[in-house]
């Protein structure tokens, strides 16, 4: 079970890095009237708004990695039962899957509303980790 979760986690991480690298390698097109050096959040160029949204995805994945590390440490110290461990790992996987699905639908980034919803899910997960350990 653990090796499957590790494989899925590593594969997700590698794919997100590959997708991010591919998006970063694309040259950005300049629109008429846009002056380089004056970014706008309403700018539709591939480079600028996606960078902000990629930061959101990276932050969500980082927080999930931290939560998963806490879960594994608690399990290793026998503070979590086997069922609690599986439940928490499932929550991490579900949140990560949802984040990646939304990012795939939005060109690799997370819109603000989705990001805020995922943050709420992560905070609930953190509370569950503390409550169950």
């Amino acid at each position: 079970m653990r090796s499957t979760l590790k494989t899925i986690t590593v594969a997700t991480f590698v794919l997100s890095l590959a997708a991010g690298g591919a998006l970063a390698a694309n040259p950005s097109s300049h629109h008429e009237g846009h002056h380089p050096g004056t970014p706008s959040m309403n700018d539709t160029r591939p480079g600028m708004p996606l960078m902000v949204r990629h930061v959101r995805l990276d932050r969500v994945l980082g927080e999930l990695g931290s939560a998963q590390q806490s879960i594994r440490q608690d399990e290793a110290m026998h503070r979590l039962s086997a069922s609690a461990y599986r439940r928490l790992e499932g929550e991490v996987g579900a949140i990560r899957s949802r984040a990646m699905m939304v990012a795939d639908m939005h060109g690799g980034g997370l819109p603000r509303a989705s990001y805020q919803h995922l943050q709420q899910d992560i905070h609930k997960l953190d509370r569950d980790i503390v409550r169950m350990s």
Side-chain angles (χ1 to χ4, degrees):
M1 173 102 179
R2 284 188 184 177
S3 64
T4 304
L5 290 174
K6 286 181 185 179
T7 303
I8 291 170
T9 303
V10 170
T12 303
F13 181 71
V14 169
L15 288 173
S16 67
L17 284 178
L23 287 173
N26 288 339
S28 62
S29 61
H30 294 282
H31 295 288
E32 278 186 41
H34 178 75
H35 300 287
T38 56
S40 167
M41 289 307 289
N42 296 326
D43 195 355
T44 59
R45 291 183 303 136
M48 191 59 202
L50 285 179
M51 287 174 34
V52 172
R53 289 184 278 166
H54 280 298
V55 170
R56 292 177 186 157
L57 178 61
D58 290 343
R59 188 172 294 147
V60 166
L61 294 177
E63 290 175 6
L64 287 173
S66 176
Q68 196 167 30
Q69 185 177 11
S70 295
I71 293 167
R72 289 180 179 164
Q73 285 175 349
D74 286 351
E75 193 268 339
M77 297 174 74
H78 303 290
R79 286 191 255 169
L80 285 176
S81 67
S83 63
Y85 173 78
R86 284 190 303 272
R87 179 174 176 264
L88 292 170
E89 283 286 332
E91 284 184 45
V92 169
I95 295 169
R96 180 176 283 117
S97 175
R98 220 171 23 250
M100 295 305 291
M101 184 177 65
V102 170
D104 286 344
M105 291 186 326
H106 292 92
L110 292 176
R112 178 177 287 148
S114 298
Y115 173 71
Q116 290 172 345
H117 185 51
L118 289 166
Q119 286 292 317
Q120 291 172 352
D121 292 344
I122 292 170
H123 290 303
K124 180 187 176 300
L125 173 66
D126 289 338
R127 286 191 307 267
D128 288 345
I129 292 170
V130 171
R131 183 177 52 85
M132 290 182 173
S133 62

